[in-house]
Amino acid sequence: MGRIENHKEDLVNQIAEHYSAILKLVGEDPEREGLRKTPVRAAKAILDITSGYRSEPLTIARQAIFEHAGSQMVIVKDIEFYSMCEHHILPFFGRVSIGYIPKGSMIGLSKLARIVDSFARRLQVQERLTSQICNLLDEAMPTDGVIVCCTGEHLCMKMRGVEKQDSATTTFDYSGRFAEEPTLREEFMRLLNC
């Protein structure tokens, strides 16, 4: 079963007009056979890619907070993400790993992936994406610390500019005991096999 699109037709048409104008400006004919439907398809795609603007990550998180008496580290590794660089409007993508130390509560694991998507599906920079995820989890529930590791590949470095094909960027943010105790950060890294 395919995904159901739920785009407002008026908004799609407005965006499509701009894509049609861009095609003309770069030297293409938006009326040629292969491009006739491209402005509408591109409009729907950009709405999907930026769907994070129409979601509320804190609400997502708070839908699945449960009591938990444990105090050991919880890690969800390798949550894939796709985003768009706000500087060039080119894709960047990769994986996010999140760890936290519960303090009387825990979050449903699928919500962590939804939170990542909510922030990633906006015009973004990787550094902000990493800190937004960390800060949101600190706000959404009581913890003894949160740590987020994000590794991404940026097409603005691979397709244009310096054109370095094998480059990747890793960013971290952390709070609570992860900020105070380097051994906890080291344990998180070891468990990620970094």
Side-chain angles (χ1 to χ4, degrees), residues 66-76 98-107 109 112 141-147 177-178 181 183-184 187-188 190-191:
F66 307 102
E67 283 187 32
H68 177 63
S71 61
Q72 301 302 312
M73 190 184 320
V74 175
I75 298 175
V76 177
I98 301 169
Y100 72 94
I101 302 170
K103 187 177 181 181
S105 64
M106 63 182 185
I107 187 168
L109 300 178
L112 295 174
M141 64 181 183
T143 70
D144 278 331
V146 176
I147 188 166
R177 287 180 54 200
F178 289 106
E181 302 174 32
T183 55
L184 273 177
E187 180 182 359
F188 175 77
R190 184 177 49 76
L191 292 169

Side-chain angles (χ1 to χ4, degrees), residues 26-160:
V26 299
E28 263 294 357
D29 175 9
E31 294 303 316
R32 78 172 169 83
E33 183 181 3
L35 291 177
R36 281 190 201 124
K37 294 182 181 179
T38 296
V40 168
R41 287 191 297 255
K44 291 177 180 179
I46 197 69
L47 287 170
D48 288 341
I49 290 165
T50 61
S51 63
Y53 290 119
R54 293 168 297 285
S55 68
E56 177 48 55
L58 189 58
T59 301
I60 292 168
R62 289 189 171 154
Q63 290 173 348
I65 304 289
F66 307 102
E67 283 187 32
H68 177 63
S71 61
Q72 301 302 312
M73 190 184 320
V74 175
I75 298 175
V76 177
K77 292 172 47 172
D78 296 331
I79 301 166
E80 74 269 9
F81 74 90
Y82 300 90
S83 193
M84 296 290 276
C85 164
E86 69 181 34
H87 299 143
H88 304 98
I89 311 183
L90 287 173
F92 72 98
F93 54 90
R95 298 189 179 276
V96 172
S97 295
I98 301 169
Y100 72 94
I101 302 170
K103 187 177 181 181
S105 64
M106 63 182 185
I107 187 168
L109 300 178
S110 69
K111 298 304 181 200
L112 295 174
R114 292 184 192 282
I115 291 164
V116 169
D117 281 347
S118 183
F119 286 123
R121 291 187 173 267
R122 303 168 186 221
L123 297 181
Q124 246 326 344
V125 294
Q126 184 175 325
E127 297 87 342
R128 183 186 318 116
L129 171 64
T130 305
S131 65
Q132 285 176 325
I133 295 165
C134 186
N135 294 338
L136 179 99
L137 291 172
D138 266 338
E139 182 180 352
M141 64 181 183
T143 70
D144 278 331
V146 176
I147 188 166
V148 179
C149 172
C150 179
T151 299
E153 297 182 41
H154 297 249
L155 292 190
C156 58
M157 285 190 66
K158 293 175 181 282
M159 284 181 67
R160 61 166 309 283

